[in-house]
Amino acid sequence: MVTFSLCMIVKNESAVLRRCLSSVADLMDEIIIVDTGSDDDTKEIAAEFTDQIYDFAWTDDFAAARNFAFSKATMEYIYSADADEVLDEENHLRFQQLKQVLMPEVEIVQMYYVTPPEYNTASNYMKEYRPKLYRRLRTFRWIDAVHETVCLEPIVFDSEIEILHLPQNLHSVRDFRLFGLAFAREGRLSEKLHSMYAKELFISGEDEDFAGAVPVFEATLARPDAGGDMIKEAVCVLCHAYRTAGQTDRFFSMAFKLMPDSLCAELCCEVGRHFLDREDYQEAIQWFETAAYRTEAIIDIRRSGSVPLFGLSECYGKLAEALRAAAPLSQEHRELIRQCEEQAERYQEEGQKWEIPVE
């Protein structure tokens, strides 16, 4: 049977830490807790489960803290967990079975990360695979009978274990600050962080968060090495920021960068909302229909589902109100009102049925 080290970084997690550790402690051969500056009972709770508790001065760098935690591990595999995760009874059994049968050549085990919609801030999926278990020391192997080379690709096993993610509060405010700090340090974001920043903005950001992101994504468009995906992400973020700031000229100038060949659902929703806010409902309907039925989302999958569907419902509802305000009402007006109200109800129902995919 293989051995596991649990490595966690924590700060002020007294509300959830005992719940997490109680669900996994008996599966672990070693528990390592790295505290980055708690001023509550976090370390006292951790001490109920382990004496390997370390302090680490927080540097606004999660990778540095996790590397420090991993450096303390001594078992064959390292299980990386956050304090707001929970392993239920069924998945506890799956984890136990995995420990008994895991083959030593497996270097990474992926597990389903399950985040209920009300806690989701950065993902297009409620349930997705994430690497959670890592072989501590890697064995390099030669492959190929001729022109032999060292195999650099890790052997990954996709397990059926589901980790339930139940945070006490949303992390988006913290994340937006760290994205900004990373940009300030480097003058740019990596392709991965750039994509994560855009996703988190569209999924959980407020208008002021988009406004704060403008320098980051304007810098992307000035980069000669920015790839096509990064440019599209930047254009979508900036269009939202310019629209909500009332900068109409900049909004349309930016939107034209993706028209007509690179239209995406996010951009169509922004243009649709622009015309809806200006009470041009017929024009808004065209853009929301394009978002819902003729384009794909590149950042937030809801922009090709519930967002334009609710936009369509709102447009038809506003049209019905405008028609009803006309006096006197002819039979033709009454029929048009009825049709608009039916459309509004239909799109509202479609939007309510639409949900973030499970996986």
Side-chain angles (χ1 to χ4, degrees):
M1 183 185 301
V2 296
T3 56
F4 292 163
S5 295
L6 170 63
C7 287
M8 298 177 65
I9 58 173
V10 297
K11 180 180 179 181
N12 292 337
E13 301 287 5
S14 61
V16 293
L17 183 58
R18 186 179 288 107
R19 180 185 67 183
C20 173
L21 290 174
S22 296
S23 73
V24 299
D26 64 310
L27 298 169
M28 301 297 146
D29 301 281
E30 177 178 61
I31 297 177
I32 295 161
I33 306 293
V34 172
D35 188 273
T36 61
S38 295
D39 54 18
D40 64 0
D41 297 332
T42 292
K43 289 199 284 187
E44 287 77 7
I45 294 171
E48 298 173 13
F49 298 87
T50 182
D51 59 0
Q52 294 193 65
I53 302 170
Y54 303 90
D55 291 314
F56 183 82
W58 179 240
T59 60
D60 290 318
D61 189 335
F62 280 99
R66 291 201 188 278
N67 283 334
F68 178 77
F70 273 34
S71 74
K72 302 298 182 181
T74 61
M75 299 299 155
E76 295 171 273
Y77 285 84
I78 298 174
Y79 177 58
S80 179
D82 290 325
D84 55 10
E85 298 174 7
V86 183
L87 198 64
D88 64 19
E89 185 176 347
E90 179 181 1
N91 289 288
H92 183 280
L93 178 61
R94 289 174 176 169
F95 209 124
Q96 195 172 51
Q97 292 169 341
L98 173 71
K99 187 173 184 179
Q100 294 172 349
V101 302
L102 186 60
M103 302 298 290
E105 59 264 28
V106 174
E107 295 168 312
I108 296 175
V109 177
Q110 296 205 116
M111 301 177 186
Y112 282 117
Y113 203 67
V114 183
T115 304
E118 62 268 28
Y119 299 120
N120 183 42
T121 63
S123 175
N124 281 316
Y125 300 93
M126 185 178 74
K127 177 179 173 180
E128 61 181 344
Y129 266 130
R130 290 191 183 183
K132 295 293 291 179
L133 190 65
Y134 307 85
R135 187 162 180 82
R136 187 173 63 87
L137 298 178
R138 185 176 182 187
T139 301
F140 289 95
R141 297 172 296 110
W142 288 90
I143 57 173
D144 299 327
V146 64
H147 299 299
E148 68 281 3
T149 186
V150 171
C151 178
L152 300 178
E153 294 296 323
I155 298 176
V156 180
F157 172 65
D158 292 338
S159 75
E160 292 300 311
I161 298 170
E162 296 182 4
I163 308 298
L164 189 59
H165 182 217
L166 299 175
Q168 289 294 104
N169 47 61
L170 301 182
H171 298 154
S172 53
V173 173
R174 176 204 70 190
D175 292 349
F176 293 145
R177 186 180 71 85
L178 293 179
F179 286 131
L181 289 173
F183 175 75
R185 285 195 302 266
E186 304 295 333
R188 59 174 60 196
L189 294 181
S190 68
E191 187 173 345
K192 173 196 167 188
L193 285 185
H194 193 276
S195 178
M196 290 300 299
Y197 196 1
K199 285 180 181 177
E200 198 155 354
L201 283 167
F202 272 96
I203 292 173
S204 58
E206 303 292 341
D207 289 347
E208 56 267 28
D209 300 316
F210 277 88
V214 165
V216 176
F217 290 93
E218 285 182 338
T220 298
L221 298 183
R223 285 175 55 177
D225 62 337
D229 289 343
M230 293 181 73
I231 290 173
K232 290 178 183 178
E233 291 163 357
V235 167
C236 290
V237 169
L238 292 171
C239 277
H240 184 98
Y242 295 156
R243 179 183 64 79
T244 54
Q247 298 175 328
T248 303
D249 290 344
R250 299 186 77 183
F251 166 69
F252 275 109
S253 177
M254 186 60 57
F256 287 149
K257 291 183 180 295
L258 297 185
M259 294 183 189
D261 298 330
S262 299
L263 274 181
C264 58
E266 288 84 357
L267 181 59
C268 292
C269 283
E270 293 299 327
V271 179
R273 177 52 62 176
H274 168 82
F275 286 112
L276 174 55
D277 290 343
R278 282 151 183 74
E279 300 182 1
D280 188 345
Y281 304 123
Q282 295 292 354
E283 187 68 26
I285 285 170
Q286 299 300 315
W287 286 98
F288 284 134
E289 285 182 342
T290 301
Y293 303 116
R294 293 189 288 276
T295 58
E296 295 183 356
I298 62 170
I299 300 172
D300 175 13
I301 197 169
R302 296 174 304 173
R303 259 60 180 187
S304 61
S306 58
V307 172
L309 291 171
F310 287 137
L312 286 166
S313 177
E314 187 176 351
C315 285
Y316 280 106
K318 295 290 187 180
L319 282 173
E321 290 177 9
L323 289 167
R324 197 178 293 108
L329 290 179
S330 65
Q331 184 60 36
E332 181 181 3
H333 274 90
R334 290 189 176 90
E335 177 59 22
L336 286 173
I337 290 170
R338 184 190 66 80
Q339 292 176 5
C340 286
E341 290 176 338
E342 286 183 353
Q343 288 285 71
E345 183 177 356
R346 179 171 72 86
Y347 285 121
Q348 181 72 17
E349 291 176 352
E350 282 190 30
Q352 290 172 344
K353 291 177 183 178
W354 197 95
E355 60 182 356
I356 292 177
V358 172
E359 56 184 83

